[in-house]
Structure formats: structure tokens, C-alpha cells
């Protein structure tokens, strides 16, 4: 029932404990969310019968979907804004890495 939320929370906590740097934690959260979005896009557009249903049952569409699924009200709003802040940091770190990269 709560398996998708438990797995994502465990991955986020494990990445925070493993990397210890804030920037790497931000990258790991973004990687998890991008992976979930990609796997669902591929499953929905690949055309294999039954594969999309299996992926949709096993994997959530994104981290915000998990937040919306298991919380509501002010708690949901606060957690979603924290998620948005994490994505803003991810965008900042990505742009900074792009600008620093000299070709």
C-alpha cells in the first residue's frame, strides 16, 4: 500500500546519509524524480501490452504524485514547496556546472 512512498523516502534518506554533501543530495533527489518520470513515459509510449499497467502499478509517476497521494492540506503544500526548493537548487547547480564548463 505505502510501498512506493517507503521506497522513495528510503532512497532519499540513503542518499543524504551516503553523500553528506548538500549538492549531491540535491542531485540524487532529481535523479530519482527524473528516473520515475522517464520510466513512466517510456512505459506509456512503448506500446507493449500490459507493460504500461505493470509499470504504473510498480512505479509512481513522480515524487509530487507520491506527495499528493499520501498527504493533503497544509502538509501537502509544505512538502510540495520543499520539493520545489530542491528542484530550484538542482537547476542552480546544473546551470552553475554548465557555465563553469569551458569548451
Amino acid at each position: 500500500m505505502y510501498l512506493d512512498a517507503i521506497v522513495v523516502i528510503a532512497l532519499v534518506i540513503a542518499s543524504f546519509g551516503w553523500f553528506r554533501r548538500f549538492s549531491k543530495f540535491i542531485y540524487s533527489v532529481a535523479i530519482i524524480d527524473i528516473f520515475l518520470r522517464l520510466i513512466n513515459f517510456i512505459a506509456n509510449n512503448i506500446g507493449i501490452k500490459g507493460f504500461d499497467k505493470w509499470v504504473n502499478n510498480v512505479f509512481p509517476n513522480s515524487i509530487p504524485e507520491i506527495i499528493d497521494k499520501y498527504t493533503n492540506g497544509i502538509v501537502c503544500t509544505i512538502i510540495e514547496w520543499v520539493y520545489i526548493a530542491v528542484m530550484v537548487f538542482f537547476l542552480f547547480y546544473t546551470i552553475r556546472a554548465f557555465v563553469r564548463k569551458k569548451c
Side-chain angles (χ1 to χ4, degrees):
M1 182 172 173
Y2 296 109
L3 188 60
D4 53 353
I6 292 170
V7 169
V8 170
I9 291 170
L11 286 172
V12 169
I13 291 171
S15 66
F16 186 71
W18 181 266
F19 292 121
R20 303 274 183 185
R21 290 186 59 194
F22 184 69
S23 62
K24 291 191 178 194
F25 168 71
I26 295 297
Y27 280 123
S28 65
V29 171
I31 288 169
I32 292 168
D33 191 52
I34 291 169
F35 171 76
L36 291 174
R37 291 174 188 266
L38 282 175
I39 195 74
N40 278 294
F41 178 81
I42 291 169
N44 291 332
N45 292 305
I46 201 165
I48 298 175
K49 189 175 184 177
F51 182 67
D52 58 343
K53 290 181 183 177
W54 178 78
V55 168
N56 289 331
N57 286 335
V58 174
F59 296 104
N61 286 337
S62 63
I63 292 176
E65 181 190 335
I66 296 171
I67 295 169
D68 289 338
K69 186 176 180 182
Y70 296 112
T71 61
N72 56 17
I74 191 74
V75 174
C76 180
T77 304
I78 291 170
I79 295 172
E80 284 180 345
W81 277 105
V82 169
Y83 169 78
I84 293 299
V86 168
M87 289 296 118
V88 167
F89 279 115
F90 171 69
L91 184 61
F92 169 75
Y93 286 132
T94 304
I95 291 171
R96 188 176 73 174
F98 181 73
V99 170
R100 286 185 178 179
K101 183 85 172 169
K102 307 236 183 208
C103 295

